[in-house]
Amino acid sequence: DAGVIQSPRHEVTEMGQEVTLRCKPISGHDYLFWYRQTMMRGLELLIYFNNNVPIDDSGMPEDRFSAKMPNASFSTLKIQPSEPRDSAVYFCASSDSLLETQYFGPGTRLLVL
Amino acid sequence: KQEVTQIPAALSVPEGENLVLNCSFTDSAIYNLQWFRQDPGKGLTSLLLIQSSQREQTSGRLNASLDKSSGRSTLYIAASQPGDSATYLCAVRDDYKLSFGAGTTVTVRA
């Protein structure tokens, strides 16, 4: 299996622009997680899906952030409008059980100028 | 709210020395604890997962112990190698959520 795939790997954008991050989970995994990693706050869970349905989005920082999972093999995290404080590494992870190992993608490094 | 602490934040050892990485957590009502490795610019790789009913888990040169009642876990890496240089993160699962420590950055000097 190719593992969790994320794109783009790097994104540089200007404040106010829309940013869309993409994730393809491991085939057969029913759970998908979006995390954000910063130096100040470490790794934080933003939202997770089960069978394409958002279960808990309490970690989403603001209404500027939204996430969708239109099918079992694709999810997006959108920031609109983006701000410099959104600069971070965004990880997607998937698992076949809520209590078992999560497999992480390589991350998208976002820089908002 | 679960708080996870990893001490030390950074560690530098000569090749061949054993590594001891510490993790503590505030709420002992956990399902399991997981150790991850993160290389610069890369994602996280799962190393070991210890269920709450287990005391330790081993994989090759890695051994992780769990003392749930005292809120502590230790990751031991035997006979360290330069390839072990990375950041090691501890993550505690209570309910569905993984709470991560800030990590210990390890440098193994050749």
Side-chain angles (χ1 to χ4, degrees), chain A residues 4 26 29 92-96 101-105, chain B residues 36 44 46:
Chain A
V4 177
I26 292 172
H29 281 188
C92 175
S94 70
S95 69
D96 59 5
T101 299
Q102 292 181 17
Y103 296 87
F104 281 71
Chain B
F36 291 88
L44 279 67
S46 179

Side-chain angles (χ1 to χ4, degrees), chain B residues 21-98:
Chain B
L21 308 180
N22 297 302
C23 171
S24 61
F25 47 95
T26 53
D27 187 345
S28 61
I30 66 170
Y31 283 100
N32 55 45
L33 182 146
Q34 200 163 355
W35 283 94
F36 291 88
R37 169 184 171 137
Q38 185 173 25
D39 293 284
K42 302 282 182 65
L44 279 67
T45 301
S46 179
L47 298 174
L48 292 168
L49 184 147
I50 312 176
Q51 301 294 349
S52 61
S53 58
Q54 296 177 310
R55 297 283 294 183
E56 66 178 333
Q57 192 69 253
T58 298
S59 176
R61 294 184 294 111
L62 276 59
N63 174 276
S65 66
L66 174 64
D67 184 342
K68 200 175 69 163
S69 61
S70 67
R72 294 178 190 275
S73 176
T74 303
L75 178 66
Y76 301 89
I77 303 176
S80 61
Q81 304 167 359
D84 294 329
S85 298
T87 297
Y88 293 83
L89 294 124
C90 163
V92 171
R93 181 178 279 108
D94 43 23
D95 197 359
Y96 65 88
K97 191 172 179 177
L98 272 180

Side-chain angles (χ1 to χ4, degrees), chain A:
Chain A
D1 198 316
V4 177
I5 299 172
Q6 290 187 248
S7 65
R9 293 293 311 278
H10 302 273
E11 178 81 28
V12 181
T13 191
E14 294 189 346
M15 183 174 63
Q17 296 298 306
E18 177 178 297
V19 175
T20 300
L21 312 181
R22 297 172 176 80
C23 174
K24 176 179 168 55
I26 292 172
S27 177
H29 281 188
D30 294 330
Y31 292 86
L32 184 139
F33 306 83
W34 280 101
Y35 290 89
R36 178 171 69 175
Q37 186 176 38
T38 62
M39 289 292 291
M40 290 296 294
R41 301 175 66 90
L43 260 166
E44 301 174 287
L45 178 66
L46 300 177
I47 185 171
Y48 85 93
F49 294 82
N50 176 217
N51 291 324
N52 313 336
V53 177
I55 303 300
D56 187 343
D57 65 355
S58 59
M60 297 283 263
E62 301 172 35
D63 291 346
R64 298 183 297 105
F65 286 70
S66 63
K68 293 182 180 179
M69 193 165 185
N71 57 61
S73 59
F74 183 67
S75 177
T76 59
L77 178 68
K78 187 175 293 187
I79 308 172
Q80 166 63 19
S82 58
E83 296 183 3
R85 60 195 167 119
D86 302 331
S87 298
V89 182
Y90 291 81
F91 289 104
C92 175
S94 70
S95 69
D96 59 5
S97 165
L98 195 54
L99 298 180
E100 294 300 324
T101 299
Q102 292 181 17
Y103 296 87
F104 281 71
T108 295
R109 190 172 296 272
L110 173 65
L111 178 62
V112 183
L113 302 173

